[in-house]
Amino acid sequence: MQFRSVLRLVALSSLLALAACASGPRIASQSDPGADFSRYRSFAFYTPLALEQNGYTTITSNRIRAAVRAQMEARGYVFDETDPDLWVNLNAYLQDKTRVTTMPEVDYDYYYSYRARGYFAVPYWRDRTDVRQYTEGTLNVDLVDARRKQLVWEGIAVGTVGRADAQRRGEQIDTAVAAIFAAYPHRVAATH
């Protein structure tokens, strides 16, 4: 019975360690405490999107736009380009970063002692420094009250971006947008 308890503990620890390694983007959000989210029922994309500063759409900006539209519609909002309650603005940028970590580690050298006529291990400490370069991506989703022209909610995802094929990149965008909207607690109220 004791062996099974130890085995379960080891298995649980392994699962928790794996879950900690498989982290997604860091998510942050904030909302305007004075905004009345119950009155918002429709949305449209702001023109031009901050994401499309050069005046044209890209494959990535279209994928982000589609993912955001799917999340808004899943929460009951209706897409209405003529008279929306909310404007959705999107922005994304990449930044090259460097991470430097230093860890102390112990090693041993062996010395010959003439008195004891043998070798002895003597520990010594040193620092191991690792340098890692990576690209960090940030995706912002802003919801703006169209009548007041005021930001009412902002969701941000920040994470490491790597090289990926088109399908994998699309899945990462969908995952990041879903994670952002998981922090958006509002849904369109049902009307009778």
Side-chain angles (χ1 to χ4, degrees):
M1 189 65 153
Q2 184 73 2
F3 177 73
R4 284 186 178 172
S5 297
V6 171
L7 188 60
R8 280 188 200 150
L9 184 60
V10 169
L12 180 61
S13 299
S14 299
L15 286 174
L16 290 175
L18 284 173
C21 292
S23 63
R26 295 181 313 275
I27 304 298
S29 71
Q30 64 178 7
S31 60
D32 178 0
D36 181 10
F37 286 90
S38 65
R39 68 179 196 83
Y40 301 133
R41 301 201 182 292
S42 62
F43 74 99
F45 290 99
Y46 189 79
T47 304
L49 288 175
L51 182 63
E52 299 166 346
Q53 296 174 4
N54 297 327
Y56 60 89
T57 64
T58 65
I59 295 167
T60 302
S61 67
N62 284 335
R63 182 67 182 241
I64 294 170
R65 185 191 303 251
V68 168
R69 182 172 177 167
Q71 290 293 325
M72 291 293 287
E73 288 174 344
R75 284 159 178 73
Y77 293 94
V78 176
F79 185 75
D80 179 3
E81 285 185 300
T82 58
D83 189 28
D85 298 323
L86 293 170
W87 288 112
V88 178
N89 198 1
L90 306 170
N91 196 12
Y93 57 93
L94 301 174
Q95 185 175 18
D96 291 330
K97 298 250 181 169
T98 302
R99 178 177 293 142
V100 179
T101 55
T102 302
M103 294 286 291
E105 63 182 18
V106 66
D107 206 350
Y108 295 92
D109 266 343
Y110 295 93
Y111 294 97
Y112 183 77
S113 170
Y114 291 101
R115 289 189 177 158
R117 298 187 191 269
Y119 285 94
F120 291 92
V122 178
Y124 68 93
W125 288 263
R126 64 177 176 209
D127 287 336
R128 182 187 77 213
T129 302
D130 294 321
V131 178
R132 180 176 169 253
Q133 294 182 336
Y134 63 99
T135 302
E136 183 177 82
T138 303
L139 174 61
N140 287 61
V141 177
D142 295 342
L143 299 182
V144 178
D145 184 308
R147 285 168 187 52
R148 296 187 304 151
K149 295 184 179 18
Q150 183 174 344
L151 180 72
V152 293
W153 185 82
E154 177 182 36
I156 303 168
V158 179
T160 303
V161 177
R163 295 179 188 250
D165 61 14
Q167 180 180 352
R168 177 78 176 122
R169 187 173 34 255
E171 291 169 358
Q172 290 170 337
I173 289 170
D174 293 345
T175 300
V177 170
I180 289 172
F181 275 93
Y184 182 70
H186 307 288
R187 293 188 175 278
V188 172
T191 57
H192 300 299

